[in-house]
Amino acid sequence: MPSKGAKDKGVLNEWQDMGNSEEQRDLGVLVHNYEEKLHRPELFSFEQSKLMGDLIEKLFGFLWEYIGELATRQPAELKTIDKMVLQLYELSQLFPEAACSCVQSTLRQSVQELENQLQVKGRASFPGLDKLLYIKIVGALFPTSDFRHAVVTPALVYMSQIVTKCSVTVLRDVAAGLFVCCLFLDYVSLSKRLVPEVINFLVGILHMAVPRKSTLGYTLVPPFKSSAKSSDLMVVKDKMAAESWEMKPLPISQIQRVEQQDETQTANFKSLPSFREIVNPLEILLTSHLPVSDYPAQLQKLYHEVLTEVQDRSTSYLPLEFEKKKPVPLKLFTPKIVEVSDYGRKRGGTRQEKERMRLVHKHKREFKGAVREIRKDAQFLARQRFSDIMEGDAERKRKVKVLFHNLATQEGEWKAMKKKKRKL
């Protein structure tokens, strides 16, 4: 009978064989068949049903690894990956713990690879298409609006490390970084969280498109530098090639169906009080530094749309300033002041009665003090008298003891003399 590990490898090989064949449009049939078997336990014995459940639970890991393999192929099979997202979502709903563990392992490995690159080379390169698609699929499988999530939160941390620690040296890095920024905005589309890494990365990318970098008016944040080898990476140099440029979306409709991106991403931050300060560097770049006339028509249209969104902002607060007139103070209750004397609270009565009560209180206090001193003196005298008595008794006992000792010595001497006389 084949072992459990052999059965698992057989399922993985079956997936790979199906992916390599011409029947990729029916790639989800195998998962659907296994899920139907899982929901019909009467067809199997108890051990077979348990084994089938474990196998279905591992199918998520098989699909997850297979998506990474499809993304690393040349060219990447994005349509096949698009078809597998629905099956991944169904499996993640059936076995959330297994899906969470599998995705966490992938994110942990990706972060470790990034840290190793930073330690060895001092800089890191942008991850491959497989890791970027993994992050995109994570946003489709798990809720991204939670304040803290076991999978989404590490994914957000990993994305922030990508856009802040990976150097932009070629156009492929620009595309990967912008893709990560879109993923960031997809993740926070419901929670409306501010992501400073996205703003800093967009400022750095637009800075690469500025032909003259003498006077900036904004601040760059690493990994971008004002003067570097790749600082002119996005500058338009061939106008003929720019005219033939056109935008093409990625063929991953199933992923985009789960979470729709807004037409303009600045709408995520418009509700923030500091929206003006957040987009101020972008507005400076868009209005003062970019040569818009050299760009193709589609890009010029997009430029005007973004600029309209950035400038269409309402002043939600005013600077603090003093009022012209002094504010009228509120009417308050008159405080009730109670005189407190050395003998307690104030009591009613005439002046003579108050003076008599004060003297009575003073007499009581002094009388108590005198009684206390007399008691202390009596205790001292008693202790002194007891000490004298004990010293007298001790001296008498000593004298009696000395007397008995002398008598015993004399009696011994007398007996010795008497015995000596008898011998004579």
Side-chain angles (χ1 to χ4, degrees):
M1 185 175 179
S3 62
K4 190 175 181 180
K7 286 181 178 292
D8 297 346
K9 290 183 178 180
V11 174
L12 182 58
N13 294 332
E14 188 175 354
W15 273 103
Q16 293 175 349
D17 294 339
M18 181 173 287
N20 294 328
S21 66
E22 297 178 355
E23 299 178 356
Q24 290 182 351
R25 58 187 180 85
D26 298 328
L27 196 58
V29 174
L30 185 60
V31 174
H32 184 68
N33 292 338
Y34 278 114
E35 290 178 355
E36 283 189 350
K37 293 178 182 179
L38 178 65
H39 292 290
R40 297 182 65 185
E42 68 275 2
L43 300 179
F44 309 97
S45 62
F46 176 75
E47 295 181 356
Q48 290 176 341
S49 300
K50 186 177 180 181
L51 181 61
M52 184 64 65
D54 296 340
L55 193 58
I56 294 293
E57 187 174 354
K58 291 184 177 181
L59 271 180
F60 184 91
F62 297 152
L63 284 175
W64 190 257
E65 294 179 6
Y66 188 55
I67 285 177
E69 181 184 347
L70 293 177
T72 54
R73 293 180 181 179
Q74 296 296 333
E77 300 181 8
L78 298 180
K79 293 183 179 180
T80 306
I81 296 175
D82 187 31
K83 295 178 181 179
M84 298 174 65
V85 174
L86 293 179
Q87 279 75 29
L88 272 178
Y89 180 78
E90 293 176 359
L91 290 174
S92 65
Q93 297 300 310
L94 286 175
F95 305 101
E97 294 182 359
C100 179
S101 176
C102 181
V103 177
Q104 283 178 341
S105 176
T106 303
L107 292 174
R108 192 180 302 112
Q109 183 179 359
S110 301
V111 173
Q112 186 64 36
E113 291 178 359
L114 185 64
E115 294 295 335
N116 292 338
Q117 290 183 8
L118 290 173
Q119 291 179 0
V120 175
K121 301 180 181 179
R123 58 185 180 86
S125 57
F126 277 82
L129 180 60
D130 54 343
K131 294 181 175 59
L132 296 179
L133 288 181
Y134 277 150
I135 302 174
K136 179 67 176 177
I137 297 173
V138 166
L141 300 183
F142 301 98
T144 57
S145 60
D146 292 354
F147 181 75
R148 185 181 289 106
H149 193 272
V151 177
V152 176
T153 302
L156 287 170
V157 174
Y158 178 50
M159 287 192 290
S160 66
Q161 290 181 348
I162 290 175
V163 296
T164 55
K165 296 183 179 180
C166 295
S167 302
V168 180
T169 56
V170 293
L171 293 177
R172 189 261 175 197
D173 297 339
V174 175
L178 294 177
F179 183 74
V180 173
C181 291
C182 292
L183 294 182
F184 254 126
L185 296 172
D186 284 342
Y187 274 48
V188 300
S189 60
L190 295 177
S191 59
K192 306 294 182 182
R193 296 179 184 175
L194 174 63
V195 186
E197 293 86 350
V198 173
I199 304 298
N200 294 332
F201 188 84
L202 292 178
V203 170
I205 293 298
L206 292 177
H207 172 77
M208 290 184 172
V210 176
R212 299 178 182 178
K213 300 179 173 60
S214 57
T215 56
L216 297 180
Y218 52 88
T219 305
L220 289 177
V221 180
F224 298 97
K225 298 179 180 179
S226 58
S227 58
K229 294 181 180 180
S230 58
S231 59
D232 296 334
L233 184 63
M234 300 295 293
V235 176
V236 177
K237 299 177 181 179
D238 189 356
K239 295 183 179 181
M240 298 297 295
E243 292 177 357
S244 61
W245 179 86
E246 60 179 352
M247 291 187 294
K248 294 181 180 180
L250 289 174
I252 45 177
S253 59
Q254 295 292 350
I255 301 177
Q256 293 173 349
R257 187 183 304 171
V258 179
E259 43 181 7
Q260 297 292 335
Q261 183 177 347
D262 294 337
E263 183 178 356
T264 53
Q265 296 299 339
T266 55
N268 285 346
F269 305 141
K270 274 192 173 181
S271 60
L272 298 177
S274 57
F275 176 74
R276 297 177 59 185
E277 287 73 18
I278 292 172
V279 298
N280 185 47
L282 295 175
E283 185 179 2
I284 294 174
L285 278 163
L286 293 174
T287 55
S288 305
H289 296 283
L290 294 181
V292 187
S293 58
D294 298 340
Y295 296 161
Q298 290 185 351
L299 200 57
Q300 289 185 15
K301 181 180 178 182
L302 180 62
Y303 165 83
H304 291 296
E305 291 178 357
V306 173
L307 186 61
T308 303
E309 286 290 336
V310 169
Q311 294 179 343
D312 183 18
R313 60 196 182 200
S314 59
T315 304
S316 58
Y317 61 92
L318 296 173
L320 296 177
E321 59 182 9
F322 290 103
E323 295 184 3
K324 296 181 179 180
K325 294 182 179 180
K326 188 177 181 180
V328 179
L330 298 175
K331 294 183 179 180
L332 303 176
F333 293 105
T334 304
K336 182 180 179 181
I337 300 174
V338 178
E339 181 183 355
V340 178
S341 60
D342 56 349
Y343 59 90
R345 281 181 168 273
K346 178 183 177 183
R347 293 179 175 84
T350 61
R351 184 174 181 181
Q352 290 77 8
E353 291 180 355
K354 293 178 182 178
E355 183 67 20
R356 187 183 64 82
M357 291 176 64
R358 188 183 68 80
L359 293 175
V360 169
H361 178 74
K362 184 177 180 180
H363 173 263
K364 287 182 179 180
R365 186 173 57 187
E366 292 180 355
F367 180 78
K368 289 181 180 179
V371 171
R372 190 183 305 111
E373 293 296 329
I374 293 172
R375 189 180 295 114
K376 289 182 180 179
D377 294 342
Q379 291 176 354
F380 174 76
L381 292 176
R383 285 195 300 269
Q384 192 66 28
R385 191 180 300 111
F386 180 75
S387 177
D388 294 342
I389 293 173
M390 294 300 294
E391 288 180 359
D393 292 345
E395 181 66 20
R396 186 170 56 256
K397 288 181 180 180
R398 187 184 65 79
K399 290 181 179 180
V400 170
K401 188 176 181 180
V402 171
L403 181 62
F404 274 107
H405 179 70
N406 293 335
L407 291 176
T409 302
Q410 291 179 5
E411 186 178 1
E413 292 178 353
W414 180 77
K415 287 183 178 180
M417 292 176 60
K418 188 178 181 179
K419 185 176 182 182
K420 188 176 181 181
K421 289 180 179 181
R422 286 180 181 177
K423 289 182 179 180
L424 292 176

